[in-house]
Amino acid sequence: MSTTENVAELLAVTEETKGTVSGTIKGKITHWGSGIITEFDAPYIWRDHEQRFRFFGNMDDPNLPGNKISVGLTFKDADQGSGDFQWDDEEIEDLFFANWRPDQILRAQSGSVTFRRNAEDRIHGRLEFITRPIELNQYTVEVIYDIEAPR
């Protein structure tokens, strides 16, 4: 699992970036300390596979107005094929939940990825993981995704 700045770079991407694609990333995010469950349904999805294969979804945080939250995955190989993976498999570079304020990127400490890539380069699957704690924040992330190929 990488601890590089690539996730921070992804979060800086704006909706005008050419990596924007159609699709869904939705599910639930559970905060361990408070028990608050956030329904995650990203209206903005970004995907690219130039140097590695990565995607993430952003949405407004319903629990903190003005904040955004994100869920994402990065594979080391831009041509990553279908498979079932554990969070720490060598194919996975990063699996994360991000809370833009207070600027926390919480990486997986356990969990799994289901990744399916069809002939038209559409991807779908599931991300289920528990984040490493930062201060008093730790989350369980359970989302499904179905994302079109970039145009």
Side-chain angles (χ1 to χ4, degrees):
M1 189 74 54
S2 170
T3 58
T4 63
E5 295 294 320
N6 72 340
V7 174
E9 293 167 14
L10 285 178
L11 298 180
V13 172
T14 64
E15 294 187 25
E16 292 80 35
T17 302
K18 70 178 184 176
T20 304
V21 293
S22 296
T24 59
I25 301 176
K26 61 183 177 181
K28 65 181 181 176
I29 314 293
T30 305
H31 185 270
W32 284 29
S34 67
I36 292 174
I37 297 172
T38 301
E39 296 299 321
F40 190 85
D41 191 358
Y44 171 72
I45 299 171
W46 191 85
R47 169 184 167 175
D48 90 55
H49 53 270
E50 291 180 15
Q51 297 174 357
R52 55 194 172 265
F53 189 96
R54 56 191 178 173
F55 68 86
F56 71 93
N58 294 341
M59 67 171 270
D60 292 331
D61 184 347
N63 305 306
L64 184 58
N67 189 35
K68 290 191 182 297
I69 55 177
S70 304
V71 172
L73 169 68
T74 304
F75 283 108
K76 292 178 182 174
D77 184 357
D79 297 319
Q80 180 62 53
S82 296
D84 297 315
F85 305 92
Q86 292 302 304
W87 71 281
D88 59 351
D89 285 349
E90 67 181 37
E91 295 89 346
I92 295 178
E93 181 173 315
D94 218 347
L95 177 60
F96 69 92
F97 168 73
N99 186 351
W100 291 33
R101 286 190 342 213
D103 192 25
Q104 292 181 333
I105 298 170
L106 298 103
R107 291 178 167 85
Q109 75 171 11
S110 66
S112 62
V113 171
T114 301
F115 181 76
R116 301 293 180 260
R117 192 174 198 171
N118 70 21
E120 293 80 36
D121 205 24
R122 183 179 197 100
I123 60 168
H124 66 276
R126 177 185 278 306
L127 308 176
E128 294 181 321
F129 62 97
I130 296 171
T131 67
R132 294 178 189 153
I134 295 181
E135 298 167 358
L136 298 176
N137 292 315
Q138 187 170 22
Y139 299 85
T140 298
V141 177
E142 302 167 287
V143 297
I144 58 171
Y145 61 91
D146 184 7
I147 303 170
E148 292 181 5
R151 298 176 191 220

